[in-house]
């Protein structure tokens, strides 16, 4: 856009900016908006111009992709199977191809895959290669330069030779020793998502369920004690910041996978030398390089590899095909890895997520080596959770000492499961298990139950934290657990000024009787600063519809000095809907065309006045 166009857009928007409210006039009201009961009219859409038949670039940014496909780039990538079917990878139909009928595996896990296979071509083409093995598990052996217990520990020689020899032996023994760390509450040190600091096991001070029985999703609140968090980092916990959590795979799932792979029980917790040839794994964000690490098989599967969050890849299926003793299983798995089976594979991969356990049960004769399987599994990545309090003001006294607390809220996400009907996500499921065990221990009379959350300072410079200011009007728009960080915003503002006529909160919920989070926990003036919008109770209205109903307030805030609009929540539905509503507000109140209104909000993003944190 040219400078002249920018100037024209700014002039047109400025002409519609409401004046700064005078003492005798009232700031636009949130709770008693004049448009509250009125029906919202859809703005007139501009007549599209006729296009000439010509070759032109139609997509040069993520916004263009979303405009054309109706999906964000993230959604498009997740939906794509990655097998190349959209690039014409499938072969043309050949009437001369011979097919053979096969007897399908007779088990519930295989049937749950919903594979549309009855016959398989006798000859397959384009079968993906067997993936390269990059991880190797080897016994920990005493190096030749380290003497055995019956030999002298240090050879005779000069004092300097003796000193260097001892130091070398001590380093070698240290490198081949399993670290003394309780990996039941925190990951091994080599995981290290924030070098040079290790993941900190934060003790749960308290936890409670925020939602009530009948809620569609359960949400838990956690008070985490970070009093002893390691010093030395340049950044402190901030309002609106997010912590990283290294959540493990569930212990029972890890045990079952080891059982299915026939890993002997006496080897599961025995020190083993992991040797990798390249890549970052098993670290999170370490350098791409070869490594030698002493660990255990259980720790690797618990903390380092994701066994349920990602759709299965052809590389995993190819590994299973190479290590099954059943001919039918091998044919099916190779078919899914072939060009002829591309369509079936695409449907299989873009349906409900298939877990590793489900695959191993579906093809029970496939027993690949654990280290080869670890080479093709996705790494287990940290999950991030926004702080729901003001971390600068959260302290308590216990045992005669002052303890510092941070607070978070976690909504439990569930997906379809072939055995139990549903399963929880790795991160939210871990939080739910810890919360329920803590609550159960309290009910049994334990005074200070010891349960931990392995966490680290994750995103203290994220957009929410960076753009929070102590003055200026703010509109905070959130749905579900996306409202949590805004509680910290309001708490912080209460320490410096009155929130009335300064902060407004639009909270979207399904049903306020069971879904509303932190009701009555926002401090004074809650009724004045916060409005709850229910989508499934009464007439029903989504938060994006309320944004349009509050057009005067939105337009006043975004054009005020230091005014800011924050949006937080799921991008699917809420985030996209709110962005569309904001564009319509700019069209109505700023007398702008659609593209001009979109550019208006893009400029506000660049200047830090419009901040959207969605997932």
């Amino acid at each position: 856009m040219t400078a002249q166009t920018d100037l024209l857009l700014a002039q047109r928007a400025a002409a519609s900016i409401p004046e700064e409210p005078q003492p005798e006039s009232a700031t636009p009201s949130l709770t008693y908006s004049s448009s509250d009961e009125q029906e919202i009219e859809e703005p007139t859409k501009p007549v599209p111009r006729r296009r000439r038949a010509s070759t032109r670039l139609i997509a040069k940014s993520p916004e263009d992709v979303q405009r054309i496909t109706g999906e964000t780039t993230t959604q498009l990538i997740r939906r794509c199977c990655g097998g190349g079917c959209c690039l014409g990878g499938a072969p043309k139909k050949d009437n001369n191809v011979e097919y053979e009928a096969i007897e399908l595996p007779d088990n519930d896990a295989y049937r749950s895959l919903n594979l549309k296979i009855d016959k398989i071509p006798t000859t397959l083409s384009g079968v993906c290669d067997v993936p390269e093995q990059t991880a190797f598990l080897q016994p920990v052996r005493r190096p030749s330069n380290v003497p055995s217990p019956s030999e002298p520990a240090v050879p005779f020689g000069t004092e300097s030779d003796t000193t260097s020899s001892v130091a070398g032996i001590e380093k070698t023994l240290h490198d081949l020793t399993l670290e003394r760390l309780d990996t039941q509450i925190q990951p091994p040190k080599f995981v290290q998502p924030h070098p040079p600091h290790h993941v900190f096991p934060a003790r749960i001070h308290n936890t409670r369920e925020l939602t009530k029985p009948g809620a569609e999703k359960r949400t838990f609140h956690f008070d985490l004690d970070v009093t002893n968090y390691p010093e030395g980092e340049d950044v402190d916990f901030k309002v609106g910041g997010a912590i990283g959590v290294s959540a493990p795979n569930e212990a029972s799932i890890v045990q079952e996978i080891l059982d299915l792979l026939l890993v002997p029980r006496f080897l599961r917790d025995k020190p083993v030398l992991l040797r990798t040839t390249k890549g970052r794994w098993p670290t999170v964000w370490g350098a791409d390089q070869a490594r030698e690490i002493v660990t255990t098989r259980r720790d690797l599967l618990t903390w380092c590899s994701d066994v349920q969050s990602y759709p299965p890849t052809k590389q995993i299926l190819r590994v299973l095909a190479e290590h099954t003793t059943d001919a039918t299983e091998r044919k099916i798995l190779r078919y899914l890895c072939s060009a002829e089976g591309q369509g079936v594979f695409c449907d299989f991969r873009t349906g409900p997520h298939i877990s590793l356990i489900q695959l191993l049960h579906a093809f029970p004769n496939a027993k690949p080596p654990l280290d080869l399987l670890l080479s093709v599994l996705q790494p287990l990545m940290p999950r991030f959770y926004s702080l729901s309090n003001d971390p600068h003001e959260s302290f308590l006294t216990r045992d005669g000492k002052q303890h510092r607390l941070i607070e978070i809220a976690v909504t439990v996400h569930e997906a379809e499961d072939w055995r139990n009907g549903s399963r929880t996500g790795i991160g939210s499921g871990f939080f739910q298990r810890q919360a329920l065990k803590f609550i159960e221990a309290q009910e049994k009379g334990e005074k200070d139950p010891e349960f931990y959350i392995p966490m680290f300072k994750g995103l203290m410079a994220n957009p929410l934290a960076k753009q929070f200011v102590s003055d200026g009007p703010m509109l905070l728009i959130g749905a579900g657990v996306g409202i949590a960080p805004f509680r910290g915003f309001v708490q912080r503002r209460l320490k410096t000024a009155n929130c009335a006529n300064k902060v407004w909160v639009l909270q979207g919920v399904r049903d306020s009787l069971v879904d509303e989070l932190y009701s009555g926990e926002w401090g004074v003036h809650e009724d004045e600063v916060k409005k709850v919008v229910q989508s499934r109770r009464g007439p029903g209205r989504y938060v994006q519809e309320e944004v349009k109903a509050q057009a005067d307030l939105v337009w006043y805030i975004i054009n005020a000095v230091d005014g800011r609009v924050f949006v937080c929540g799921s991008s699917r539905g809420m985030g996209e809907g709110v962005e569309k509503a904001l564009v319509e507000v700019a069209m109505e109140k700023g007398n702008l065309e659609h593209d001009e209104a979109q550019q208006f909000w893009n400029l506000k993003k660049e200047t830090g006045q419009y901040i959207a944190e969605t997932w």
Side-chain angles (χ1 to χ4, degrees):
M1 183 174 286
T2 64
Q4 184 178 3
T5 307
D6 283 344
L7 179 61
L8 179 60
L9 176 58
Q11 289 174 343
R12 293 183 64 182
S16 303
I17 296 175
E19 297 181 357
E20 184 78 18
Q22 301 301 321
E24 62 271 17
S25 64
T27 307
S29 167
L30 174 65
T31 308
Y32 303 102
S33 171
S34 58
S35 59
D36 227 12
E37 305 299 330
Q38 296 177 5
E39 193 171 323
I40 302 169
E41 296 182 0
E42 291 288 331
T44 305
K45 295 182 179 180
V47 179
R49 299 177 182 176
R50 297 185 61 185
R51 295 182 178 178
R52 295 180 299 172
S54 61
T55 302
R56 61 178 296 181
L57 179 65
I58 63 171
K60 58 180 180 180
S61 69
E63 289 77 14
D64 291 336
V65 173
Q66 184 170 356
R67 173 176 54 81
I68 296 167
T69 65
E71 296 177 301
T72 64
T73 51
T74 301
Q75 291 170 331
L76 189 64
I77 291 171
R78 286 177 177 173
R79 181 179 61 80
C80 177
C81 68
C85 53
C86 52
L87 302 176
K92 297 180 180 179
K93 291 185 177 180
D94 187 350
N95 295 329
N96 297 323
V97 173
E98 294 183 2
Y99 291 83
E100 62 174 323
I102 58 173
E103 185 177 349
L104 302 177
D106 185 18
N107 61 71
D108 292 337
Y110 180 83
R111 285 186 285 271
S112 70
L113 301 181
N114 295 319
L115 294 175
K116 300 175 182 177
I117 300 175
D118 51 0
K119 296 180 180 180
I120 292 179
T122 54
T123 303
L124 299 175
S125 63
V127 178
C128 72
D129 295 332
V130 177
E132 177 187 3
Q133 183 170 352
T134 58
F136 299 86
L137 296 176
Q138 301 171 344
V140 178
R141 292 190 174 91
R142 180 179 295 272
S144 57
N145 65 323
V146 177
S148 65
S150 60
E151 297 175 349
V154 180
F156 294 103
T158 64
E159 183 176 349
S160 60
D161 292 339
T162 301
T163 303
S164 61
S165 180
V166 170
I169 292 173
E170 288 179 348
K171 183 180 185 305
T172 302
L173 290 174
H174 179 270
D175 292 343
L176 294 176
T177 303
L178 192 64
E179 60 187 1
R180 294 181 179 179
L181 198 69
D182 186 356
T183 53
Q184 292 186 350
I185 64 172
Q186 62 189 122
K189 286 185 178 180
F190 58 75
V191 172
Q192 206 174 46
H194 63 147
H197 303 285
H198 181 46
V199 175
F200 174 71
R203 185 173 176 177
I204 299 176
H205 170 71
N206 196 19
T207 182
R208 56 194 166 93
E209 187 170 357
L210 294 175
T211 48
K212 297 177 178 62
E216 188 169 315
K217 294 182 179 180
R218 304 180 75 177
T219 300
F220 291 88
H221 170 86
F222 290 84
D223 298 298
L224 303 180
D225 190 335
V226 292
T227 306
N228 298 320
Y229 192 91
E231 297 180 356
E233 297 189 26
D234 296 331
V235 63
D236 194 11
F237 296 99
K238 293 184 178 181
V239 175
I243 62 170
V245 174
S246 295
N249 291 308
E250 188 174 356
S252 61
I253 292 177
V254 172
Q255 184 78 351
E256 186 174 0
I257 291 174
L258 294 172
D259 288 342
L260 291 169
L261 295 177
L262 302 181
V263 177
R265 291 181 179 269
F266 75 93
L267 289 179
R268 298 177 186 184
D269 298 295
K270 185 177 181 179
V272 63
L273 178 65
L274 169 67
R275 182 172 61 84
T276 64
T277 57
K278 61 181 180 181
R280 294 181 172 183
W281 189 87
T283 69
V284 175
W285 293 305
D288 185 341
Q289 63 183 33
R291 290 177 172 81
E292 287 191 356
I293 297 169
V294 177
T295 181
T296 69
R297 293 168 174 83
R298 189 185 304 277
D299 283 350
L300 288 174
L301 205 52
T302 299
W303 297 100
C304 303
S305 294
D306 197 316
V307 297
Q308 71 174 58
S309 302
Y310 298 92
T313 61
K314 287 189 175 182
Q315 287 73 22
I316 293 177
L317 301 179
R318 191 73 170 87
V319 166
L320 296 181
E322 289 299 304
H323 292 87
T324 179
T325 57
D326 183 83
T328 299
E329 290 182 4
R330 186 180 303 107
K331 289 178 182 179
I332 295 173
L333 290 164
R334 284 178 57 84
Y335 174 67
L336 291 171
C337 297
S338 70
E340 288 78 10
Q342 183 63 56
V344 177
F345 172 76
C346 187
D347 292 340
F348 163 66
R349 195 174 189 271
T350 54
H353 281 186
I354 308 299
S355 66
L356 177 61
I357 280 184
Q358 191 172 353
L359 283 176
L360 293 176
H361 276 286
F363 302 99
N365 296 290
K367 309 292 182 185
L370 178 60
D371 48 5
L372 177 56
L373 196 58
L374 293 172
S375 299
V376 295
L377 287 175
Q378 295 287 343
L380 183 54
M381 302 301 291
R383 274 64 173 163
F384 294 91
Y385 301 90
S386 298
L387 301 182
S388 62
N389 70 322
D390 178 0
H392 302 97
E393 303 293 337
S394 185
F395 294 90
L396 64 87
T397 301
R398 187 179 65 192
D399 301 330
K401 299 179 181 178
Q402 190 178 54
H403 292 257
R404 186 180 187 185
L405 301 180
I406 58 172
E407 301 175 21
I408 60 173
V410 179
T411 293
V412 180
H413 295 279
E414 295 185 341
E416 293 182 20
D417 184 70
W418 65 285
R419 286 188 296 195
N420 305 316
S422 65
R423 68 170 184 263
T424 58
I426 290 179
S428 62
F430 169 68
F431 272 102
Q432 178 175 248
R433 292 192 300 274
Q434 295 295 85
L436 295 179
K437 286 187 290 187
F438 185 94
I439 294 171
E440 182 183 6
Q442 281 187 324
E443 291 174 348
K444 290 180 178 179
E446 292 187 36
K447 291 184 178 180
D448 293 310
E450 287 195 33
F451 295 96
Y452 297 86
I453 301 295
M455 50 77 62
F456 58 95
K457 292 177 184 175
L459 300 173
M460 295 302 146
N462 64 333
L464 291 182
K466 287 175 65 177
Q467 299 303 335
F468 173 78
V469 292
S470 58
D471 200 7
M474 294 191 305
L475 176 60
L476 312 174
I477 306 169
V481 77
I483 205 68
F486 297 150
R487 176 171 170 259
F489 281 33
V490 174
Q491 288 179 352
R492 187 62 176 171
R493 277 294 182 90
L494 286 173
K495 301 296 180 182
T496 57
N498 192 324
C499 279
N501 297 337
K502 282 290 188 178
V503 179
W504 294 265
V505 182
L506 292 180
Q507 180 179 5
V509 300
R510 295 180 178 88
D511 185 339
S512 63
L513 295 180
V514 296
D515 287 310
E516 184 179 352
L517 306 185
Y518 294 121
S519 177
E521 300 183 35
W522 294 75
V524 296
H525 309 298
E526 180 170 335
D527 293 339
E528 297 177 30
V529 304
K530 184 166 73 79
K531 182 168 185 178
V532 177
V533 185
Q534 304 180 80
S535 62
R536 300 186 185 178
R537 189 172 180 82
R541 173 182 275 185
Y542 289 100
V543 70
Q544 52 264 39
E545 296 175 298
E546 186 63 26
V547 169
K548 290 191 287 184
Q550 302 286 350
D552 289 337
L553 178 64
V554 173
W555 198 243
Y556 157 69
I557 291 175
I558 198 60
N559 290 293
V561 177
D562 282 336
R564 280 167 167 74
V565 173
F566 291 85
V567 179
C568 188
S570 172
S571 60
R572 188 180 305 172
M574 191 285 292
E576 297 166 351
V578 168
E579 185 168 344
K580 180 181 177 183
L582 292 174
V583 169
E584 293 178 2
V585 167
M587 292 172 64
E588 176 190 348
K589 295 299 179 180
N591 194 28
L592 303 174
E593 298 293 333
H594 183 273
D595 290 347
E596 293 174 329
Q598 211 159 26
Q599 179 64 11
F600 171 82
W601 287 106
N602 289 338
L603 292 173
K604 293 298 182 181
K605 272 187 178 179
E606 293 176 7
T607 58
Q609 286 187 272
Y610 169 44
I611 303 95
E613 188 82 352
T614 58
W615 54 84

